[in-house]
């Protein structure tokens, strides 16, 4: 009875968002109105799709205006300071208008899903550094503005996919000749911020995992050949994550912050294994899988909670799919004659000889496929057995 056929409140919502982006007067009432409207479409979020681009454009236009004014102000006040202090020390910044706009962005992600929303967010290269600096300037202890931090992390998840080497757009490397490992480059800041927010207890943890999954699967994150950056960020993150999982496997009693951190690490690893290139992941995944097996031993002793058991099973599934070599069907690469005349002459030939040849060809294909299946069965690695065993144990889990 409550189903709708279209987005009835489109004009009201658009007008409310336009006012919120342009002025700070009455924005609290407008925010509550937008929240009430979007709650009606929790069951039918697809009805919002025709209006998403326009509405998100209004929201992000207001956010980018605030961000531009703030970045210009901070750049003028920090010109006298060294680049090292500029990138390491940030004053806490809070703007009520930006908090409300990013709260609206969270409401859209909550209603429609972040995958549908992130496609409409601006992804200019010039926005990357200011958004990172804005996230640095947020107060993590202020629980009233967690939607702001969530929105910035989700925005970063699309900004880090810019098709340029991140070291080429890092102003910190251009302002100084200090290339030591202690210097905080843009990529280092992104990884540190992601790790920090993985220990949050709310939706910001998931947003940080999504951002890290997009960042660390870039081709330039796993190559250490760059002259400006000697770090292999993907390998370092896997080593850090393995230490966290080892800590979970060995400890009987864990603090509540460790529970949140390990859950965030699980989520980040599953995102990396989902989006990463298999050829790059294989060289780092064995050590990670050993840590997962240690966690399964802790699961058998009853030392792991339900959510972590679920994430362990999901991570094992992603690792198993990464170990499996891709099997490409032969029919995808079969082509006919490139000449139209040859094709026409082939069809005008005798049908009996053609069917005979096709039958022999099909028989040879079947024999080749059977041989390939036998080869695959004999080449099974030990990791496959461990993954299948872990998944079967997951089927036995009460939850």
């Amino acid at each position: 009875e409550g189903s709708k056929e279209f987005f009835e409140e489109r004009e009201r919502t658009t007008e409310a968002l336009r006012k919120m982006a342009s002025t700070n007067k009455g924005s609290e009432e407008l925010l509550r109105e937008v929240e009430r409207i979007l709650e009606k479409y929790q069951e039918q979020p697809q009805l919002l799709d025709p209006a998403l681009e326009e509405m998100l454009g209004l929201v992000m236009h207001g956010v980018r205006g605030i961000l531009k004014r703030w970045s210009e102000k901070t750049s003028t006040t920090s010109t006298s300071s060294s680049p090292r202090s500029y990138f390491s020390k940030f004053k806490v910044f809070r703007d009520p208008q930006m908090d409300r706009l990013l709260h609206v962005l969270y409401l859209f992600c909550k209603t429609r899903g972040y995958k549908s929303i992130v496609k409409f967010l601006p992804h200019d290269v010039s926005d990357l550094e200011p958004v990172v600096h804005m996230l640095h300037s947020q107060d993590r202890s202020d629980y009233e503005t967690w939607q702001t931090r969530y929105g910035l992390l989700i925005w970063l998840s699309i900004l880090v996919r810019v098709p340029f080497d991140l070291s080429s757009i890092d102003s910190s490397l251009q302002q100084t000749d200090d290339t030591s490992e202690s210097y905080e480059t843009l990529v280092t800041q992104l990884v540190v911020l992601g790790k920090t927010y993985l220990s949050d207890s709310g939706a910001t943890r998931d947003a940080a995992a999504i951002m890290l999954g997009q960042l660390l699967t870039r081709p330039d994150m796993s190559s250490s050949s760059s002259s400006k950056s000697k770090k292999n960020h993907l390998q370092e993150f896997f080593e850090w994550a393995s230490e966290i999982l080892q800590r979970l496997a060995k400890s009987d009693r864990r603090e509540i912050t460790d529970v949140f951190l390990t859950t965030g690490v699980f989520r980040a690893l599953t995102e990396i294994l989902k989006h990463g290139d298999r050829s790059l992941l294989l060289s780092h995944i064995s050590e990670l899988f050993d840590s997962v097996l240690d966690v399964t031993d802790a699961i058998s002793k009853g030392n792991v909670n339900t959510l972590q058991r679920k994430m362990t099973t999901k991570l094992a599934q992603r690792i198993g799919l990464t170990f499996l070599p891709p099997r490409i069907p032969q029919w995808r690469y079969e082509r006919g004659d490139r000449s139209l005349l040859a094709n026409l002459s082939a069809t005008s030939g005798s049908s009996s000889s053609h069917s005979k040849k096709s039958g022999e060809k099909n028989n040879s294909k079947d024999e080749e496929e059977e041989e390939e299946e036998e080869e695959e069965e004999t080449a099974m690695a030990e990791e496959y057995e461990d993954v299948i065993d872990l998944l079967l144990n997951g089927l036995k889990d009460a939850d």
Side-chain angles (χ1 to χ4, degrees):
E1 295 178 357
S3 62
K4 300 178 181 295
E5 296 182 357
F6 62 96
F7 187 20
E8 299 175 357
E9 299 86 350
R10 177 172 180 172
E11 294 183 0
R12 283 173 52 197
T13 307
T14 303
E15 186 61 27
L17 295 177
R18 184 175 289 110
K19 291 180 180 178
M20 291 178 64
S22 60
T23 180
N24 204 18
K25 296 180 180 180
S27 297
E28 195 66 35
E29 292 76 12
L30 295 173
L31 174 61
R32 298 294 167 241
E33 182 182 1
V34 173
E35 188 173 7
R36 286 192 297 269
I37 292 173
L38 293 181
E39 283 180 356
K40 301 177 183 179
Y41 294 90
Q42 291 286 347
E43 300 286 335
Q44 296 174 289
Q46 69 278 2
L47 298 180
L48 302 175
D49 289 354
L52 279 180
E53 185 174 3
E54 180 184 7
M55 293 188 297
L56 290 171
L58 293 172
V59 172
M60 298 311 295
H61 177 72
V63 173
R64 294 182 75 186
I66 298 171
L67 185 68
K68 182 179 180 181
R69 292 191 295 271
W70 175 80
S71 59
E72 290 176 352
K73 181 179 178 181
T74 53
S75 62
T76 56
T77 57
S78 60
T79 52
S80 59
S81 61
S82 65
R84 172 69 182 175
S85 60
Y86 174 68
F87 280 90
S88 302
K89 299 176 182 179
F90 294 89
K91 295 181 180 180
V92 174
F93 173 78
R94 180 175 179 181
D95 186 274
Q97 185 181 7
M98 188 185 71
D99 293 339
R100 281 188 281 268
L101 289 173
L102 290 177
H103 192 160
V104 172
L105 177 61
Y106 165 73
L107 292 176
F108 278 113
C109 292
K110 176 185 174 183
T111 305
R112 191 63 183 98
Y114 81 91
K115 292 181 182 178
S116 300
I117 300 300
V118 75
K119 296 182 294 185
F120 299 105
L121 300 183
H123 45 272
D124 293 350
V125 179
S126 58
D127 290 331
L128 179 57
E129 281 193 333
V131 174
V132 174
H133 301 161
M134 177 66 75
L135 189 58
H136 265 300
S137 303
Q138 297 301 304
D139 184 9
R140 287 188 62 207
S141 60
D142 187 1
Y143 297 106
E144 295 181 357
T145 60
W146 64 267
Q147 294 93 344
T148 302
R149 300 186 288 275
Y150 175 89
L152 292 174
L153 285 166
I154 286 294
W155 192 7
L156 278 175
S157 69
I158 188 68
L159 288 175
V160 296
R161 302 300 297 177
V162 294
F164 306 103
D165 193 330
L166 293 181
S167 61
S168 64
I169 59 176
D170 188 355
S171 61
S172 64
L173 296 178
Q174 299 171 6
Q175 294 177 9
T176 181
D177 295 331
D178 183 9
T179 57
S180 62
E181 294 186 359
S182 61
Y183 191 84
E184 293 185 2
T185 62
L186 181 63
V187 177
T188 304
Q189 292 180 73
L190 284 165
V191 175
V192 170
L193 282 170
K195 290 179 180 180
T196 302
Y197 282 101
L198 285 181
S199 59
D200 275 21
S201 59
T204 50
R205 176 185 61 203
D206 297 333
I210 294 167
M211 187 273 289
L212 285 172
Q214 296 291 337
L215 172 68
L216 295 176
T217 52
R218 289 174 53 92
D220 54 350
M221 291 297 102
S222 55
S223 61
S224 57
S225 59
S226 175
S227 59
K228 294 184 178 180
S229 177
K230 299 180 180 179
K231 291 186 177 181
N232 187 326
H233 294 280
L234 180 63
Q235 182 179 358
E236 288 187 349
F237 184 83
F238 274 136
E239 292 174 354
W240 175 78
S242 298
E243 293 178 1
I244 300 297
L245 298 184
Q246 289 286 349
R247 190 187 311 166
L248 172 65
K250 294 178 181 179
S251 59
D252 294 331
R253 294 182 179 180
R254 297 169 303 279
E255 298 179 358
I256 191 168
T257 53
D258 289 335
V259 174
F260 295 143
L261 177 59
T262 50
T263 305
V265 168
F266 275 123
R267 179 69 191 272
L269 289 173
T270 54
E271 289 291 329
I272 292 172
L273 294 178
K274 178 180 179 180
H275 300 289
D277 187 359
R278 179 177 180 269
S279 60
L280 299 177
L281 294 174
L282 281 177
S283 58
H284 310 296
I285 205 170
S286 297
E287 181 181 356
L288 178 65
F289 188 53
D290 293 337
S291 301
V292 173
L293 292 178
D294 292 336
V295 174
T296 59
D297 294 337
I299 291 177
S300 62
K301 298 177 183 178
N303 294 332
V304 182
N305 62 31
T306 303
L307 179 58
Q308 290 174 342
R309 293 202 303 273
K310 174 188 174 184
M311 297 302 295
T312 303
T313 306
K314 186 173 184 178
L315 181 58
Q317 167 242 326
R318 293 276 167 85
I319 291 176
L321 293 177
T322 305
F323 276 128
L324 282 175
R327 182 181 179 186
I328 302 178
Q330 291 184 353
W331 55 264
R332 290 180 59 184
Y333 292 92
E334 285 187 2
R335 304 176 67 96
D337 293 327
R338 294 179 182 272
S339 171
L340 180 61
L341 180 62
N343 282 329
L344 293 175
S345 62
T347 55
S348 62
S350 60
S351 59
S352 59
S353 61
H354 181 270
S355 61
K356 182 177 179 181
K357 290 181 180 178
S358 62
E360 294 175 354
K361 187 176 181 181
N362 290 332
N363 291 333
S364 63
K365 287 181 185 176
D366 294 337
E367 292 175 358
E368 290 176 0
E369 290 179 358
E370 290 178 358
E371 291 177 359
E372 288 179 0
E373 290 178 357
E374 291 177 358
E375 290 176 0
E376 288 179 359
E377 290 176 357
T378 56
M380 292 289 285
E382 295 181 359
E383 289 84 359
Y384 301 148
E385 299 179 3
D386 294 328
V387 171
I388 293 174
D389 181 62
L390 199 152
L391 295 177
L392 291 176
N393 288 329
L395 288 176
K396 296 190 298 183
D397 195 288
D399 297 317

